[in-house]
Amino acid sequence: MDLTGKLLIAMPGMGDMRFGHSVVFLCSHGDEGAMGLIVNKPAQDVRLSHLLEQLDIQPEPPGRDMTVHFGGPVESARGFVLHTPDYASNLQSMAVSKQFSMTATLDILEDIAVGNGPRRALMMLGYAGWGPGQLEAEIAMNGWLTADADSDLVFAMGDEHKWGAALNLLGVDPLTLSASAGHA
């Protein structure tokens, strides 16, 4: 099972509160584990303009700003940009699917600051990671649902609506979900 490029949707009974009502875009998934970015949890009091200032990058023209998201609990000081594939870093961008790429190098922030970045993007600090077999076990224990990733949901929808909208992609009404797991 390869879930690269898919969405993970946290079930209500998720034991780890950092992932409560989370929607995670999986950048990679394989035998070595999985890596994803939470796309619906804004970081507290952090904006792209703050990061650019700390990195001494001057936006031209000034004014374009983005919410920075909590991408996950691993390496929370490291930045990642999930974006449309119309942009490729001169250093390294990872093509995840036909609709999504991910870049974790400083040049994307420099390009965004001067208007040469991707058409659509989300900036994250940190990522979510799983060791070999860990994600599969969490899915088997009803911790996550999986869905195809939708670029409008990821990039255009308000963060507070993404979890319900991701469930709706599966035809699931969030009000019908139970926090208790069952197995037949």
Side-chain angles (χ1 to χ4, degrees):
M1 158 170 67
D2 182 3
L3 298 174
T4 300
K6 302 283 187 185
L7 295 177
L8 293 178
I9 308 159
M11 291 292 285
M14 173 63 66
D16 188 335
M17 293 313 300
R18 296 173 296 184
F19 291 101
H21 287 93
S22 286
V23 178
V24 179
F25 178 83
L26 281 177
C27 296
S28 67
H29 179 242
D31 293 337
E32 302 81 34
M35 181 269 185
L37 299 167
I38 300 172
V39 298
N40 68 327
K41 302 241 180 205
Q44 296 296 93
D45 303 321
V46 182
R47 306 272 313 161
L48 178 61
S49 58
H50 301 142
L51 294 178
L52 294 177
E53 186 177 311
Q54 288 176 1
L55 296 167
D56 201 28
I57 298 172
Q58 298 299 317
E60 293 294 331
R64 181 171 183 205
D65 206 0
M66 293 169 55
T67 299
V68 175
H69 287 77
F70 168 71
V74 182
E75 294 189 49
S76 59
R78 185 170 175 201
F80 300 87
V81 180
L82 182 64
H83 58 88
T84 49
D86 58 317
Y87 174 86
S89 164
N90 290 329
L91 299 174
Q92 182 176 351
S93 289
M94 180 174 83
V96 179
S97 70
K98 290 180 181 180
Q99 297 181 60
F100 297 93
S101 293
M102 192 268 295
T103 302
T105 53
L106 187 61
D107 62 331
I108 191 170
L109 296 182
E110 295 168 338
D111 287 342
I112 287 171
V114 296
N116 294 330
R119 185 174 48 85
R120 296 167 109 181
L122 288 179
M123 172 70 198
M124 282 42 160
L125 288 175
Y127 69 93
W130 294 265
Q134 183 182 3
L135 179 57
E136 294 81 356
E138 290 179 14
I139 291 170
M141 296 298 296
N142 296 319
W144 300 100
L145 294 175
T146 60
D148 289 334
D150 177 83
S151 63
D152 286 335
L153 184 150
V154 170
F155 295 121
M157 189 170 287
D159 293 323
E160 68 279 6
H161 301 292
K162 290 179 183 179
W163 185 74
L167 288 169
N168 287 333
L169 289 174
L170 300 172
V172 174
D173 181 345
L175 298 175
T176 64
L177 291 177
S178 169
S180 326
H183 297 279

